[in-house]
Amino acid sequence: MRSRKPVTAAHWPVPEERRTVTVLFADIVGSTGLVERLDPEDVRELQRAYFNTVAGVLRRWNGVVEKYIGDAVMALFGAHGSDGFDAYRAVRAGLEIQDALDRRAPAGIRLRVRVGVATGEALVDLAATRDGGHGTASGAVITTAARIQEYAPAGGVAVCAATRRATEGLVDQRPLAALTVAGKALPLDVWRVLGAARPRPTRHQGPLVGRRRELATAGDEIARAVRDRRPRWVSLVGPAGSGRSRILHELTRAVSTVDGAPVRWCVAHCPPYPEGELAPLADTVRAFARVRDTDPTPTVRRRLATALAGLLPPARRAAAVHALADFVVAPQDAGAAGRGAEVWREVLLDLAAGQPTVVAVDDLDRAAPALNRFLHRLFATASERGLPLAVVTTHGPGWADLLPGAAGRRRRVPLPTLGAVDTGRLLRQLLDRAGRPAALAGELLPLTGGNPAVAQAYVRALDEDGDRIGVPDTVRRRVDARLDRLDGDQRAVLMAGAAQPAEFPAATMDRVLGWAPGRAEPVLRALVAAGLLRRTGLGGYAVAEPTVARVARHRLPRALRAEFAGRARTAPQPAVAAAAGAGTRPDRVAAATGAGTRLDRVAAAAGFAGRPSAGPRTGDPATCPARPGSGSSPGDGGARGPLPGLVDAARRPAAATAGPKHPEGAPPPRAKSVGRRTRHDQGDLVSRGMFRAETTAGTFDGSPTVSLPRSPSRYAGLPHIGLARGAGAPGDGRRQALPAVGPPALTGRDREPAHRAAPRARARGRGRTGGFAGSPALAVA
């Protein structure tokens, strides 16, 4: 069983989190009377064997022993990292504790243990989430687990309603009588777990939406494998909930025949943490022989012999039946599983020699490496024999499957998120089936993120939550697992960013987390690449999905949220970032952005990306969003609008500049030519510290101009007005550096009305008699 490396305090800047955890309580039945009958030395030996057995099982299932209370053991699942199956691991650990104690019988005494499991929210001290870390979690869920354990049957595992929902379909359960617990307003619904359930195919209902192209692509690959008699490997790749299992289900129906020849499908479904490495293959053997889980061994052998008749010669058939029967009865036995898998591989090859065969494995990324090796050997042997066989797998995008020797016969079919139109259609269909008004689709659309399973979960939650649109448990578990796959810095940045009321620049994140300037920028870029953040106008960032933002924000303790908000209010809000620091040369910037004279190209090199939409023109990233689809990095082609803030500053006088001010709500003055008003606006830019003036003898009456030439070559030797920088003497005639500058914070009096869209601006270069050749001035078209 694969385990995850826990996140330690050294890698996690946030010391505590509000997490949904599963708590397990285990206690010995009748321990008081047992201790009274035993010698103290025998009691010590019994306790040591009991605690070692229980702790070993909990560690195998990635549980953390929080404390020992007398003979009771309390453990946490999902405290330091969630994989989305924390409740399932806790329940499986409870069942295994019972089996391990029955087999071991420490000190020759059979112990009976009660196990209670509850799932809920707790405040977790991340630095203390280790074995024996007392007081690492606080919340009502701990008391609930202890109370359920007291009412659990001896030798059994009882769970709460939240745990039952989280493990539905993964374990067999039956309800117990509701419990009345002191301090609880309502009785507790409790279920007893009978054992792990056999994986069953998910029932798919309703029409398929938005996946016709992917279905046709996968079907064509299977048909080519049959017609060319050359095996092909098809991978359906997408995140959890994207419809991988649904596409596989539709494939079994759509590709039932190829050119009139019937196709045999052998489909395996991989549950989380299977009982044996090759257990999913045992399910395909059961389906082949039409054997049920409850059939006795003689029945299994008889039906296997019938299924293999005519396929294998009598000399091989008896040994094959014996090996496959042992495999079906005990898939967790490594020896029986190895022998059965070898026989089953030869049976599949014999099947493919007689008719087209498809071997499919759903959720291959959950399977053990042994199952992957089985598929590789099957594919390689079928390729050598030239058999009409195809292998179809489904897995997540982060799982890599190396398949040597399959050049040109390997096809990955990605399942991207659904578009808004398809998601809306799916939501309306789901709402109609649930008897809900279709108008709710507009409210749910931004919450689904184009994920079909998330859309279904939100519609289903409307019935459970009484039309209150909250985050469903299944969605929260998926988001929690997604967040916990991040490293400590990425989680800290995402959660702190989710706590911001709007978009935020990188400098604000450094201030919020108390980091050195510049540390957050590469982390933010990594989160953008992972699809968890998105770039906004003016170089800001925001959480990409509303549901992710809600879950991440809620995981922060209230005190920490308030602290982050206070730091964000006092953080500087730079609107412009330099393209490459203070040493960036304007000619290189111009060359990198197309060597044009447009002011927006210089803005793109300086970090302005995206055209601001109509709204307050303050240079604040939170109030100047980028147009949809615009880029956000230098040279990405996303900057197509005027320079936000900088052009606006050129249109209106500064508060400290003498002269009349345009009234609030009125349009700012508009420059028509390179004349008196343009020079006045240039002086405004100088007064704001954004440009510096250099009076030279070669210009009209010593008036300054703005150096924005048509091509990089014209920057040479232009001792005019350059973008202001911290170093360099005025009039030195050298090429000026492009610094990190930004418009000053504007008061309410200086702001342009929110309804007024930004006029387009450009820089026109005009050569003038008596001046330097080709030296342009700033003009607003």
Side-chain angles (χ1 to χ4, degrees), residues 275-678:
E275 292 187 5
E277 289 189 342
L278 296 172
L281 286 182
D283 294 327
T284 63
V285 178
R286 290 190 187 93
F288 169 72
R290 303 182 187 277
V291 175
R292 293 190 299 266
D293 300 342
T294 57
D295 287 340
T297 303
T299 302
V300 172
R301 290 181 177 176
R302 184 176 63 254
R303 292 185 178 178
L304 279 169
T306 302
L308 294 175
L311 186 64
L312 298 179
R316 294 174 51 196
R317 192 184 310 155
V321 168
H322 182 75
L324 291 177
D326 291 345
F327 183 29
V328 168
V329 172
Q332 67 276 6
D333 186 327
R339 292 187 297 270
E342 286 297 320
V343 173
W344 183 234
R345 183 172 65 89
E346 292 300 325
V347 170
L348 289 174
L349 293 171
D350 290 338
L351 285 173
Q355 72 175 112
T357 302
V358 179
V359 178
V361 179
D362 194 14
D363 293 320
L364 183 59
D365 44 358
R366 294 180 185 172
L371 180 54
N372 204 28
R373 290 193 298 268
F374 173 89
L375 294 177
H376 285 192
R377 291 189 60 190
L378 175 68
F379 185 81
T381 307
S383 299
E384 294 172 359
R385 300 182 186 180
L387 299 177
L389 181 141
V391 176
V392 180
T393 63
T394 72
H395 56 79
W399 191 80
D401 181 20
L402 301 179
L403 187 63
R409 293 183 292 124
R410 172 73 181 272
R411 182 65 179 268
R412 290 173 63 94
V413 181
L415 303 179
T417 57
L418 296 179
V421 175
D422 288 332
T423 305
R425 288 176 51 206
L426 176 62
L427 284 170
R428 287 192 296 271
Q429 292 172 0
L430 294 173
L431 290 168
D432 180 67
R433 287 167 48 194
R436 298 288 175 176
L440 287 173
E443 299 181 44
L444 297 176
L445 181 62
L447 303 176
T448 61
N451 189 295
V454 173
Q456 292 177 343
Y458 269 105
V459 173
R460 191 181 305 116
L462 291 177
D463 292 329
E464 300 172 358
D465 299 338
D467 291 345
R468 181 179 60 86
I469 301 179
V471 179
D473 288 343
T474 56
V475 178
R476 178 196 48 74
R477 288 195 298 269
R478 184 176 290 118
V479 174
D480 280 337
R482 191 178 180 187
L483 296 181
D484 287 342
R485 285 194 292 267
L486 304 174
D487 62 32
D489 285 356
Q490 291 174 346
R491 278 171 60 189
V493 168
L494 182 62
M495 292 167 64
Q500 305 306 312
E503 58 212 50
F504 53 89
T508 297
M509 190 53 55
D510 287 327
R511 179 66 174 268
V512 166
L513 293 174
W515 287 354
R519 179 180 171 183
E521 183 63 41
V523 181
L524 291 166
R525 290 198 297 265
L527 291 173
V528 170
L532 291 166
L533 293 183
R534 59 181 174 83
R535 295 295 299 265
T536 64
L538 305 179
Y541 297 86
V543 181
E545 301 176 22
T547 299
V548 173
R550 292 174 66 178
V551 174
R553 179 170 55 251
H554 185 71
R555 283 172 63 160
L556 289 172
R558 294 194 306 267
L560 199 55
R561 268 182 266 172
E563 175 68 18
F564 283 174
R567 294 182 186 179
R569 285 193 295 268
T570 60
Q573 301 292 331
V576 186
T584 305
R585 296 165 63 100
D587 52 347
R588 294 180 182 175
V589 172
T593 56
T597 61
R598 293 171 54 90
L599 188 57
D600 53 358
R601 293 185 180 177
V602 178
F608 289 101
R611 177 185 303 166
S613 61
R617 319 217 57 77
T618 65
D620 185 356
T623 57
C624 294
R627 62 181 174 90
S630 64
S632 56
S633 59
D636 65 356
R640 292 294 181 267
L643 182 59
L646 184 59
V647 172
D648 294 336
R651 295 197 186 108
R652 50 184 175 267
T657 304
K661 299 180 180 179
H662 62 277
E664 184 174 1
R670 187 177 180 88
K672 296 297 185 182
S673 62
V674 188
R676 183 183 307 170
R677 180 167 295 177
T678 302

Side-chain angles (χ1 to χ4, degrees), residues 61-81:
W61 289 98
N62 293 339
V64 176
V65 177
E66 208 266 357
K67 60 170 65 75
Y68 298 97
I69 311 171
D71 297 323
V73 181
M74 171 186 162
L76 301 175
F77 292 81
H80 57 65

Side-chain angles (χ1 to χ4, degrees), residues 652 661-669 749-753 755-756:
R652 50 184 175 267
K661 299 180 180 179
H662 62 277
E664 184 174 1
R749 182 182 298 274
D750 296 322
R751 297 175 191 259
E752 188 176 344
H755 68 274
R756 198 172 299 280

